[in-house]
């Protein structure tokens, strides 16, 4: 079969690989339909390996070279002997967190913190391929009316919903989302669905304003504007936002999030940073601001699927480009940074 395989930094290849044939008792085999190209994939391409297993993972035994892709949907072709929740023919979205299920973190309902977590697309083969074998517990059945395209966006929407929960946002809070890419716009949607009326989106690319406005942003602001903080305060009764979400994964975006947050407010870090950087803790201490972090998701997949089905969330406005698997490296990864100004989420459509 054909797949996109990560071999190292700036060495990602569209190539033939062996089709997965062995399905363990707890696994299912999927015909992948659509897979989303995430900024994390681009970070691995440009700066990695960062999270991709460089040595054999203790649970999966997998390491580079590895099929990447962690946002995907597919049709179930085969199920293992012990699988009873998923059936052949089901349309599913894939949760990329393959946790052990029995460590203390898994028992307390935080699978992303599992002591031996194996992320699909990072520690076992992912969804940039014609077929994939994944644990059945990672598969969530889509509603009948939902498209495979929407199914591929369940993962980033789950990231956003988890972040809103982590930040403990209250109805009536004034919130800023710093970074108007896919995760930022997913967070905007999750906030609006949670009853937050006043959401500001801060991003340097004015081309993203129509997307943000269309999904309910109350204002769209430029982080480079010299009067940004003053403008935010004008919109928030003179004090700044109660909560700011950093969704870009950059030191500058984090600095902006801290600046626009009021005293006693909360900054939730959602973006993945490609490298360490210096940070002034006093920018938090002097006004008792709090930083919380949000990694992946826990039990948000069923909720997101239900919210997509009833219209509280929308996947289609985020999909701005679809390419074939063969085009995934040259058009998707290699040009990601150049066209991310106008492109929100690229989907890779896997040929039937």
């Amino acid at each position: 079969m054909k797949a996109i395989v990560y071999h190292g930094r700036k060495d990602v290849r569209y190539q033939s690989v062996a089709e997965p044939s062995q399905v363990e008792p707890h696994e299912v085999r999927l015909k992948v339909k659509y897979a989303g190209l995430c900024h994390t994939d681009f970070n691995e391409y440009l700066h990695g390996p960062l999270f991709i297993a460089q040595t054999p993972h203790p649970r999966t035994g997998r390491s580079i070279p590895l099929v990447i892709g962690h946002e995907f949907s597919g049709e179930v072709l085969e199920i293992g002997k012990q699988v009873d929740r998923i059936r052949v023919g089901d349309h599913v979205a894939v949760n990329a967190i393959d946790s052990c299920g029995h460590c203390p973190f898994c028992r307390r309902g935080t699978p992303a913190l599992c002591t031996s977590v194996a992320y699909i697309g990072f520690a076992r083969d992912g969804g940039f391929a014609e077929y994939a074998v994944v644990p059945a517990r990672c598969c969530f059945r889509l509603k009948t009316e939902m498209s495979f395209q929407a199914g591929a966006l369940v993962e980033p929407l789950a990231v956003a919903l988890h972040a809103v929960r982590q930040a403990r946002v209250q109805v009536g809070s004034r919130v800023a989302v710093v970074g108007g890419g896919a995760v930022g716009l997913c967070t905007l949607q999750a906030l609006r669905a949670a009853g937050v009326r006043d959401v500001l989106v801060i991003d340097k690319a004015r081309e993203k304003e129509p997307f943000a406005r269309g999904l309910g942003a109350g204002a769209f602001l430029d982080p480079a504007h010299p009067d940004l903080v003053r403008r935010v305060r004008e919109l928030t009764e003179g004090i700044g936002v109660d909560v700011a979400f950093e969704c870009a994964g950059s030191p500058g975006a984090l600095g902006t999030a801290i600046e626009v947050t009021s005293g006693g407010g909360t900054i939730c870090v959602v973006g993945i940073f490609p490298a360490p950087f210096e940070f002034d803790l006093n920018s938090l201490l002097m006004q008792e601001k709090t930083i919380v972090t949000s990694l992946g998701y826990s039990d948000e997949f069923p909720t997101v699927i239900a919210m997509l089905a009833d219209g509280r969330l929308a996947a289609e406005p985020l999909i701005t480009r679809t390419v074939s698997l063969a085009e995934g490296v040259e058009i998707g990864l290699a040009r990601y940074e150049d066209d991310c100004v106008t492109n929100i989420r690229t989907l890779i459509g896997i040929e039937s």
Side-chain angles (χ1 to χ4, degrees), residues 115-200:
T115 56
S116 61
V117 65
Y119 286 94
I120 297 171
F122 297 94
R124 62 182 297 156
D125 285 327
F128 291 166
E130 295 179 89
Y131 301 94
V133 171
V134 300
R137 65 178 175 275
C138 293
C139 294
F140 289 83
R141 189 179 295 109
L142 300 175
K143 302 292 185 180
T144 304
E145 65 274 17
M146 287 181 59
S147 68
F148 284 114
Q149 293 95 324
L153 271 294
V154 171
E155 200 271 354
L157 284 164
V159 168
L161 182 57
H162 184 69
V164 171
R165 290 173 167 176
Q166 283 288 96
R168 293 177 171 82
V169 177
Q170 302 294 316
V171 175
S173 294
R174 291 158 297 200
V175 180
V177 174
V178 184
V183 171
L185 294 180
C186 286
T187 302
L188 166 62
Q189 288 198 64
L191 288 163
R192 295 286 291 161
V196 179
R197 182 173 60 86
D198 297 321
V199 184
L200 318 177

Side-chain angles (χ1 to χ4, degrees), residues 297-316:
Y297 28 80
S298 51
D299 58 354
E300 283 81 13
F301 262 61
T303 304
V304 167
I305 290 171
M307 294 172 78
L308 283 168
D310 67 18
R312 284 174 289 170
L313 297 175
E316 284 73 13

